Amino acid sequence: LHLASPTLPVGAYTYSQGLEWAVESGAIPNEASALAWIGDCLEHGLARFEAVYLAHMLRAWRAGDMARLAELDNEFIASRETAELRAETLQMGHSLAKLLADLDSPPVARMQRSGIRDDGTSPDSGLQPASGLQGFPTPSFPLVWSCIAARWDIPVEDAVAAYLWAWAENQVMAALKAVPLGQTSGQRMLLALGERIPELAARAAAMAIEDTHNYLPAFALASSLHETQYTRIFRS
């Protein structure tokens, strides 16, 4: 719940991921069209690609497989179709990693000390997930997020569901500002999106990397065109 909170100071609220341009273009004039856009991006983009990488990263952290983590992180960053999407994941990854370094109270502080479990015993691998972040000077957001989820022993499917929900909540909040829409519309959209998340999370948690895809042409075009949008309130 802490990781999925909109108060997590990583700047997620400043990004619309192309939704702002879709609104400006006239493609999203109302609640129904906003729900359709966000729902399609959730199901055919995030849940079939980013969330799958998140699940594999989480398992790699638990296994202490740093080579696999580097491979997954590089592949995910390379998958960002536009300059804004790439800058977004790197900025949020940096902000979350910095937050970990700045916090000095349990349970986060214990993540900074290599080789010590919460109960004071040494782990079998001798590697704490957070200590491994030192090997990633420019990590993606899912890499850092999965590191914390692994350290807190959050089950993979639960972690993926929380990640999907946090993304959906941020997108709905962006729609409320950009369309604009009322708070009741936002709650209706979240109820509809939330009903889909358990199935999507289960599928993403079980999916092989070879089966992933993020082929959303309209989404990529919206993100590209947002870079030169004349007036905007979001960074992507």
Side-chain angles (χ1 to χ4, degrees):
L1 292 174
H2 193 163
L3 280 174
S5 171
T7 65
L8 199 66
V10 295
Y13 69 93
T14 65
Y15 297 100
S16 82
Q17 298 196 346
L19 185 146
E20 185 176 29
W21 183 87
V23 172
E24 180 73 12
S25 73
I28 302 179
N30 51 37
E31 177 185 334
S33 56
L35 177 60
W37 178 279
I38 297 170
D40 283 352
C41 289
L42 173 68
E43 180 170 353
H44 302 295
L46 200 80
R48 289 184 179 271
F49 193 85
E50 187 167 341
V52 180
Y53 269 78
L54 179 84
H56 283 265
M57 288 173 177
L58 205 157
R59 294 187 180 100
W61 279 118
R62 287 176 174 159
D65 191 343
M66 305 307 290
R68 181 58 173 158
L69 284 164
E71 181 180 33
L72 291 168
D73 193 47
N74 288 335
E75 287 179 2
F76 177 75
I77 293 172
S79 77
R80 302 300 83 193
E81 299 103 313
T82 69
E84 287 189 350
L85 293 175
R86 180 185 176 91
E88 177 180 349
T89 195
L90 294 178
Q91 178 271 303
M92 289 174 61
H94 170 80
S95 296
L96 187 54
K98 185 177 185 300
L99 176 65
L100 289 179
D102 291 343
L103 291 175
D104 59 359
S105 60
V108 176
R110 287 191 289 268
M111 296 174 62
Q112 312 302 323
R113 300 197 295 270
S114 177
I116 303 175
R117 290 192 189 276
D118 286 346
D119 60 5
T121 62
S122 297
D124 295 336
S125 65
L127 172 68
Q128 293 289 41
S131 68
L133 282 175
Q134 297 171 2
F136 298 94
T138 56
S140 67
F141 181 63
L143 184 79
V144 185
W145 201 96
S146 63
C147 173
I148 305 173
R151 184 62 187 88
W152 286 351
D153 291 327
I154 301 174
V156 173
E157 194 170 320
D158 290 348
V160 171
Y163 194 87
L164 294 176
W165 171 261
W167 179 90
E169 190 171 31
N170 276 316
Q171 285 285 284
V172 168
M173 291 304 297
L176 296 191
K177 297 173 185 176
V179 174
L181 298 171
Q183 294 295 330
T184 303
S185 292
Q187 293 305 306
R188 278 195 296 263
M189 292 166 64
L190 284 173
L191 284 170
L193 294 166
E195 288 180 352
R196 301 165 67 175
I197 285 178
E199 181 181 351
L200 294 175
R203 183 197 306 164
M207 189 177 294
I209 287 292
E210 294 75 18
D211 296 330
T212 59
H213 70 79
N214 64 340
Y215 183 64
L216 289 172
F219 169 79
L221 287 170
S223 179
S224 296
L225 291 166
H226 185 268
E227 295 177 18
T228 56
Q229 186 170 323
Y230 181 66
T231 58
R232 57 184 187 175
I233 59 174
F234 294 97
R235 298 172 66 182
S236 72

